[in-house]
Amino acid sequence: MAMPMKRVFTKRRRAAIKKALFGSELSRSPLAKVAIYVLLVSISFFYLYPMIYMVSNSLKSQADIINPVVNWIPTQWYFGNYRRAFGVLNYFPSLGSGLLITLLPALIQTAVTSVIGYGFAKYDFKFKKAWFVLVLMTFVIPAQVYMIPRYVMFFEFGLLESPLAIILPVLVGQGVNSAIFILIFYQFFRMIPVSINEAAEIDGAGPYYIFFRIAVPLAVPAFITSFLFSLVWYWNETYIASLFLGAGYPNLQLRLANFVSEYTAIYASEELTLINEGVRLAATLLIILPMLIVYFSIQRWFVEGVERTGVTGE
Amino acid sequence: MMRYKMTRKLRENLIGYSFIGIWIIGFGVFMLYPFLTSMIYSMSNVRILGTGIELNFVWLENFRVIFQREEGFAFVEALVSFLRELVFQVPIIIVFSVMIAVLLNQPIKGRGIFRSIFFLPVVISSGPVINELVSQGAGGASFMESYSYIRIIQDTLNPNLAGPIVAIFSEIIIIFWFSGVQILIFLSGLQKIDRQIYEAARIDGAGAWESFWKITLPSLSSLIFVNIIYTIVLLATFSENAVIVSIKSNMFNINTGYGVASAMAWVYFAVVMGIVALTALAFRPKRWRGER
């Protein structure tokens, strides 16, 4: 009789220890929680390291950069790097021309892909599956395979170095990552019950009236998310921009890509203003600044948008 | 009755096509036509003259050039190192994003803040920005050097293996930066799993570790597939990718030109599609397998 009693006792004690360490079945133990926080904070630091490094070094003067004692915090806040980077990037004019080929394509992309996504979501037409597979294919295919003839085509029509080379493909649903936006709208519009369409049809509404007056107002979250992602992707897009626009229409990203040569062209004569990592990182920060502002003011829409629009749906 | 049905069907077809028609036009003009033309270019000598484009059909000459001339060697080398990096980077990104998603799915405070930290790189990582960060040592190189991890790796492993591993470690953070979207996709997948399944498993005696392998991972399987494809495409279309840079520079190179550049683009296309097809075969969700 003694043996089973003992076994029960140790079992219970082990459970008690386990509970203290790992928490009971339903509520997590404080220890596990602390571990999760420590893990998340340290990974976040590691993750943000390039950003911290960038901010810290862009505020260092030449002396601070060379000085091995100065690690994270500069001896004095030095804004000379920013002043020079600002000049070399030709910041505001480049920002303006950059916004034209960012905002406009993003707006058009959102509008056009919503129409296409709606068509796929709500109507049953012939070869629908085949077309949809082709839409998805356009995302997977490396752009290089069709960009060279596109380049020649734009050359023939005299569209190189004109923003139209960026905007025309967007107008017909062939912009940067258009397939993803079509997919977002497809998933979103599919969530709207068919009965709403049927009820509107019985009331005599035409398909386009239903789209503009019923579907579009219901899909505001999808529109916002698509617009923001378009904006970010067009802002960060450099392959098409450098190929089609090139030196004739430089936006900020392209100026950053040529930063070293442009910098040396301007400051070649002055030895004191040698290019260093401080200036280059200041320039980099200036490039990402507009998107950082957009992100931190409305980051909820970015992060929740992915879930809300049901991109990940079945 | 029959006629009514027919007209209704026709009507639906017409309306459907009126919505997606614009895409079909765009697909024809900006995808299909350039795609087919590119095939012709890859087998031609292409020159742009003042009067127009001059094409001389040369069959597979351009493809031979890739394996014969210096420019071609550089391209092949870039392609091989891209593939080597892909093999390492895709698993790193997928494992990292599953891990972060699981951590973020715990009932913790400040989840929104962490979530926006991990998504931040998506907003800022363009080719030139990443390029600057890596070249200035912000990608992790200086971080790793200061703890002399790189020396340890170089000393202990043989050079063939150490090379790629050192390359990965020196930009490890940037590799993690490519996982922003994947983390969110996994996270939304995790939130769809019914809590009751975990409770049932717990009652049956499963620990957190077992629940992860037996419940969490299997329910993410189709999202893992989606994310692997997404990651491959993301890395393959990244504008600072050496292969893409090589193709672009050969377009404007007098020795090679549009013809050879197109041939290179086709080689790249074949390689990327091959990888996508292989991963699709290996990782396709179970319900697809059932259908066949």
Side-chain angles (χ1 to χ4, degrees), chain B residues 209-269:
Chain B
W209 183 250
E210 277 168 313
S211 307
F212 173 77
W213 291 103
K214 299 263 166 70
I215 303 170
T216 312
L217 217 51
S219 29
L220 288 182
S221 71
S222 64
L223 291 185
I224 291 176
F225 169 72
V226 168
N227 275 339
I228 289 175
I229 301 282
Y230 181 83
T231 309
I232 292 172
V233 171
L234 188 70
L235 294 173
T237 55
F238 184 57
S239 68
E240 292 302 312
N241 172 337
V243 185
I244 292 178
V245 173
S246 167
I247 294 173
K248 204 170 99 186
S249 71
N250 278 308
M251 271 177 77
F252 306 107
N253 188 330
I254 310 163
N255 290 330
T256 48
Y258 298 113
V260 175
S262 297
M264 288 172 174
W266 274 93
V267 171
Y268 188 49
F269 167 80

Side-chain angles (χ1 to χ4, degrees), chain A residues 114-285:
Chain A
S114 75
V115 173
I116 299 162
Y118 184 81
F120 276 115
K122 289 289 170 193
Y123 293 99
D124 209 13
F125 43 88
K126 263 193 173 172
F127 310 120
K128 178 168 144 173
K129 270 199 177 147
W131 289 121
F132 204 67
V133 168
L134 283 177
V135 169
L136 297 180
M137 285 294 281
T138 61
F139 176 67
V140 181
I141 293 180
Q144 285 63 40
V145 89
Y146 53 79
M147 275 306 170
I148 295 171
R150 246 199 227 185
Y151 177 87
V152 173
M153 195 159 83
F154 286 141
F155 172 82
E156 282 183 308
F157 290 112
L159 289 173
L160 288 181
E161 303 199 355
S162 136
L164 276 179
I166 305 271
I167 292 167
L168 279 180
V170 188
L171 266 174
V172 285
Q174 307 294 329
V176 171
N177 290 342
S178 272
I180 290 192
F181 300 109
I182 294 173
L183 197 62
I184 287 178
F185 281 111
Y186 169 75
Q187 296 277 18
F188 201 91
F189 284 127
R190 258 188 0 159
M191 293 195 296
I192 300 174
V194 191
S195 51
I196 294 184
N197 272 35
E198 285 167 356
E201 253 169 65
I202 288 165
D203 287 347
Y208 309 107
Y209 185 90
I210 296 174
F211 173 69
F212 283 112
R213 287 301 169 85
I214 298 171
V216 171
L218 283 173
V220 170
F223 275 94
I224 294 174
T225 305
S226 297
F227 173 70
L228 289 176
F229 273 87
S230 279
L231 191 72
V232 163
W233 277 330
Y234 266 101
W235 180 263
N236 290 329
E237 202 291 319
T238 51
Y239 177 72
I240 299 176
S242 69
L243 196 60
F244 292 162
L245 301 180
Y249 193 93
N251 64 1
L252 282 174
Q253 302 279 0
L254 297 183
R255 284 199 187 270
L256 179 64
N258 299 321
F259 189 73
V260 176
S261 59
E262 282 185 37
Y263 186 91
T264 38
I266 292 178
Y267 289 104
S269 50
E270 301 162 58
E271 250 178 60
L272 276 176
T273 50
L274 268 177
I275 188 151
N276 61 27
E277 57 192 275
V279 184
R280 293 178 69 170
L281 290 170
T284 312
L285 197 68

Side-chain angles (χ1 to χ4, degrees), chain B residues 1-289:
Chain B
M1 194 62 201
M2 193 59 205
R3 230 188 78 199
Y4 173 70
K5 244 186 182 168
M6 283 289 287
T7 50
R8 182 167 172 85
K9 200 152 193 200
L10 186 69
R11 205 178 93 94
E12 180 143 3
N13 263 308
L14 282 177
I15 297 168
Y17 273 103
S18 75
F19 276 107
I20 70 152
I22 195 161
W23 184 85
I24 294 175
I25 294 169
F27 179 77
V29 176
F30 289 111
M31 284 288 186
L32 195 61
Y33 168 72
F35 190 78
L36 297 175
T37 315
S38 158
M39 210 180 280
I40 299 169
Y41 282 6
S42 70
M43 291 186 259
S44 311
N45 234 331
V46 186
R47 279 192 301 170
I48 294 189
L49 305 169
T51 48
I53 306 155
E54 196 191 80
L55 289 179
N56 281 321
F57 201 68
V58 292
W59 257 117
L60 296 175
E61 180 60 30
N62 289 333
F63 289 92
R64 207 174 299 141
V65 164
I66 296 176
F67 299 99
Q68 281 172 347
R69 271 199 234 146
E70 207 179 312
E71 288 89 354
F73 295 151
F75 168 77
V76 173
E77 204 173 293
L79 191 62
V80 170
S81 72
F82 164 73
L83 288 177
R84 207 187 296 136
E85 279 166 22
L86 199 70
V87 170
F88 283 100
Q89 290 181 355
V90 172
I92 290 177
I93 291 172
I94 297 296
V95 170
F96 179 76
S97 37
V98 170
M99 203 174 91
I100 297 296
V102 168
L103 283 178
L104 288 179
N105 197 36
Q106 306 299 324
I108 50 165
K109 282 192 190 110
R111 186 148 131 224
I113 298 168
F114 286 119
R115 214 167 43 169
S116 22
I117 287 175
F118 288 109
F119 192 71
L120 176 65
V122 176
V123 179
I124 58 176
S125 41
S126 71
V129 167
I130 296 281
N131 224 7
E132 279 300 306
L133 288 177
V134 170
S135 69
Q136 299 308 310
S142 57
F143 190 82
M144 288 294 162
E145 264 161 34
S146 61
Y147 295 97
S148 65
Y149 287 129
I150 287 178
R151 279 292 293 280
I152 297 171
I153 295 169
Q154 278 169 336
D155 288 350
T156 49
L157 294 173
N158 85 331
N160 277 332
L161 199 61
I165 292 180
V166 166
I168 283 168
F169 269 105
S170 62
E171 45 178 279
I172 186 80
I173 303 176
I174 298 300
I175 296 173
F176 288 157
W177 273 26
F178 282 104
S179 36
V181 170
Q182 293 89 318
I183 290 172
L184 287 190
I185 290 178
F186 279 134
L187 193 57
S188 72
L190 287 175
Q191 279 160 2
K192 276 182 203 148
I193 303 175
D194 195 345
R195 291 259 150 217
Q196 287 178 345
I197 300 176
Y198 287 106
E199 272 158 40
R202 235 176 262 149
I203 289 161
D204 286 346
W209 183 250
E210 277 168 313
S211 307
F212 173 77
W213 291 103
K214 299 263 166 70
I215 303 170
T216 312
L217 217 51
S219 29
L220 288 182
S221 71
S222 64
L223 291 185
I224 291 176
F225 169 72
V226 168
N227 275 339
I228 289 175
I229 301 282
Y230 181 83
T231 309
I232 292 172
V233 171
L234 188 70
L235 294 173
T237 55
F238 184 57
S239 68
E240 292 302 312
N241 172 337
V243 185
I244 292 178
V245 173
S246 167
I247 294 173
K248 204 170 99 186
S249 71
N250 278 308
M251 271 177 77
F252 306 107
N253 188 330
I254 310 163
N255 290 330
T256 48
Y258 298 113
V260 175
S262 297
M264 288 172 174
W266 274 93
V267 171
Y268 188 49
F269 167 80
V271 168
V272 172
M273 295 315 274
I275 297 167
V276 170
L278 276 179
T279 19
L281 267 178
F283 291 96
R284 76 212 134 122
K286 283 223 173 66
R287 58 192 148 99
W288 289 17
R289 274 173 239 182

Side-chain angles (χ1 to χ4, degrees), chain A residues 62-124:
Chain A
Q62 178 70 30
D64 274 357
I65 289 176
I66 300 169
N67 190 346
V69 183
V70 179
N71 201 358
W72 285 109
I73 301 159
T75 50
Q76 50 159 347
W77 303 121
Y78 176 72
F79 290 100
N81 294 329
Y82 283 97
R83 209 178 311 123
R84 271 177 282 147
F86 202 80
V88 174
L89 290 172
N90 197 10
Y91 196 71
F92 283 118
S94 311
L95 180 69
S97 57
L99 279 180
L100 178 71
I101 53 164
T102 306
L103 271 177
L104 209 56
L107 280 171
I108 298 170
Q109 168 131 295
T110 312
V112 171
T113 52
S114 75
V115 173
I116 299 162
Y118 184 81
F120 276 115
K122 289 289 170 193
Y123 293 99
D124 209 13

Side-chain angles (χ1 to χ4, degrees), chain A residues 25-37:
Chain A
E25 319 275 277
L26 291 173
S27 68
R28 294 187 159 273
S29 83
L31 203 71
K33 229 169 199 175
V34 169
I36 289 172
Y37 281 117

